[in-house]
Amino acid sequence: MPFRACLAALVLSLSATLAAATDRAAVERDYRAWLEDTVWPAAAAAGVSRTTFDRATGGLRLDWDLPGLVPPGGAPVPRRQRQAEFGSPGRYFDAGGVAAAVRIGREMAARHAPALAAAERATGVPGHIVLAIWGRESNYGRAAIPHDAFEVLGTKGFMSTRPELFTAELVAALRIAEDGHAGPGGLRSSWAGALGQPQFMPSSFLEHAADGDGDGRADIWNSEADTIASIATYLARHGWVAGRDWGFEVTLPADMSCTLEGPDRGRPIREWEAMGIARVSGRAFPAHERDGEGYLMLPAGRNGPAFLVTPNFYVLKDYNMSDLYALFVGHVGDRIAYGVGDFAAPWGPVGGLMRSDVAEMQRALQAMGHDTGGADGLAGFRTRRAIGAWQEERGDAATCFPETGMRAALGR
């Protein structure tokens, strides 16, 4: 390249770098103004003192490395995702990860038996379910919690796709600090702003954190007993039905439509039983469950295990809005408590799709009049049902799960 062209390119590069630096500096100034003009009045109205506010926010800067940011005047950068939830559901149940969660969970069950029993007496939530959530969220308190919560929540409140949510969570975190819950190391969180061993968002901490060790404080960072009590309290307040299971792996008759799936298509378990659904164990459904409502749940459509779940399954989803998360918790909990093995049915070779691919399918199905529950790229039960209904309309065997070949058939 000629010298002048090289020089011109270098000047342009330096100019772009300086402009980006200048822009970021301007955004940082706007951020400081936002903290003062927007967050401080909301925090003061919530009972936060100026001393607490200044201590928490005085040195805050934006964390530009967090995902999902939308700088003022800009647009979010699209991300092509390969998380397990958007690919093969079976990948969520990595054998090594499940085995480790179960092994450590059994150790914790013995070590914390009194706290688990006390939490179950108080809330009706079984200890093995609490353990499975604890293991999933923070590896029983062993996972690193690397971020400053105020920095994360401030950044996301100022420039993310959900600023109102994170601004409210920032105010909730300031209330936690005002009440003296932040330790010497400050308030530590995940990259999403979730706190402590149960990974509560700050608002959930204020609503559900519980004192399990009787010291008058709810310390979800350092106290295992408080962590156990807090998880159980959260589930109980979200509607956990004491005495009912979360669900059962089942077999379906070959001619049963997978479009019967969903929490809006429930019926008494005895009716599902009469339709030919049976437990994979060969045992009858428990007598006290047969008159209770059950829901067909097919996380991989016809390409994987099938389940009849109870309302408690959807309480688990309140903790994390993912079918696979709730299924993981129920499955690991059962293995901790009862020593059961892996799912009886295998996961089929599906997945490999990008979230954007699934969103394209959803838009095509919506154009045909099918309800997919949105076009977010998530293969939830409405999308699975819509795919099954479309397949049945075509005279195909319904699988109720997105597959690569469907894109062409849907005209995308």
Side-chain angles (χ1 to χ4, degrees):
M1 181 183 291
F3 174 75
R4 287 187 179 179
C6 288
L7 181 60
L10 177 61
V11 169
L12 285 173
S13 176
L14 288 173
S15 298
T17 301
L18 290 171
T22 302
D23 289 344
R24 284 201 176 190
V27 172
E28 292 282 358
R29 288 193 295 272
D30 291 343
Y31 176 50
R32 296 304 313 172
W34 174 79
L35 287 170
E36 187 65 33
D37 298 339
T38 299
V39 179
W40 163 239
V48 177
S49 69
R50 185 71 207 199
T51 299
T52 297
F53 179 82
D54 288 344
R55 185 181 298 121
T57 67
L60 283 189
R61 294 181 61 83
L62 294 166
D63 183 348
W64 294 85
D65 294 327
L66 293 175
L69 301 183
V70 186
V77 178
R79 293 172 177 264
R80 291 173 73 76
Q81 302 187 47
R82 285 189 179 276
Q83 290 100 316
E85 290 88 344
F86 314 135
S88 170
R91 293 197 340 239
Y92 203 94
F93 299 90
D94 170 72
V98 170
V102 172
R103 175 179 54 79
I104 301 172
R106 289 173 180 161
E107 294 172 4
M108 292 296 184
R111 186 180 308 169
H112 300 291
L116 290 161
E120 183 165 359
R121 286 194 300 271
T123 66
V125 179
H128 61 274
I129 293 295
V130 172
L131 287 167
I133 289 179
W134 187 13
R136 185 65 183 173
E137 292 296 333
S138 66
N139 192 21
Y140 304 98
R142 301 177 182 194
I145 303 176
H147 294 280
D148 179 277
F150 298 113
E151 183 175 83
V152 169
L153 296 168
T155 299
K156 287 182 167 286
F158 182 65
M159 56 175 195
S160 77
T161 55
R162 294 186 291 173
E164 296 83 3
L165 167 67
F166 287 105
T167 300
E169 293 295 348
L170 175 58
V171 172
L174 289 165
R175 287 181 57 196
I176 292 171
E178 180 69 26
D179 292 341
H181 292 291
L187 206 61
R188 309 304 294 175
S189 78
S190 71
W191 64 265
L195 307 175
Q197 297 187 46
Q199 286 291 274
F200 279 177
M201 292 303 289
S203 59
S204 290
F205 177 93
L206 293 173
E207 294 174 16
H208 308 302
D211 175 17
D213 56 19
D215 67 353
R217 300 178 64 244
D219 180 0
I220 62 172
W221 293 271
N222 305 297
S223 170
E224 290 86 355
D226 290 2
T227 295
I228 289 166
S230 297
I231 294 171
T233 299
Y234 181 101
L235 295 177
R237 290 179 179 171
H238 280 76
W240 185 272
V241 181
R244 292 208 68 183
D245 209 321
W246 66 270
F248 310 89
E249 187 183 356
V250 297
T251 58
L252 310 182
D255 60 352
M256 178 174 283
S257 174
C258 52
T259 64
L260 293 175
E261 179 185 10
D264 55 348
R265 298 188 177 176
R267 62 185 72 200
I269 286 178
R270 57 181 164 75
E271 292 187 14
W272 291 111
E273 196 174 24
M275 294 167 65
I277 287 182
R279 295 176 68 183
V280 296
S281 65
R283 298 191 298 271
F285 290 100
H288 71 278
E289 294 279 11
R290 294 184 73 248
D291 288 329
E293 186 129 300
Y295 316 90
L296 185 60
M297 206 275 291
L298 304 170
R302 281 288 196 169
N303 302 297
F307 304 89
L308 268 188
V309 299
T310 76
N312 285 340
F313 178 85
Y314 295 100
V315 174
L316 296 178
K317 280 192 68 174
D318 283 341
Y319 210 101
N320 182 314
M321 288 302 295
S322 162
D323 286 340
L324 297 180
Y325 176 91
L327 183 58
F328 182 95
V329 168
H331 178 60
V332 168
D334 284 353
R335 291 178 71 160
I336 290 171
Y338 310 123
V340 299
D342 202 354
F343 298 123
W347 297 96
V350 293
L353 291 168
M354 300 292 187
R355 184 167 172 175
S356 55
D357 297 331
V358 178
E360 286 182 12
M361 296 181 192
Q362 290 170 321
R363 285 189 287 271
L365 289 163
Q366 288 174 338
M368 298 176 186
H370 294 288
D371 175 15
T372 65
D376 56 4
L378 302 176
F381 78 90
R382 291 187 188 279
T383 294
R384 298 195 293 264
R385 269 193 336 214
I387 289 171
W390 168 72
Q391 290 171 316
E392 290 176 350
E393 289 170 2
R394 288 164 49 89
D396 297 336
T399 61
C400 293
F401 200 76
E403 299 166 20
T404 302
M406 292 176 184
R407 296 182 66 196
L410 284 165
R412 295 281 167 167

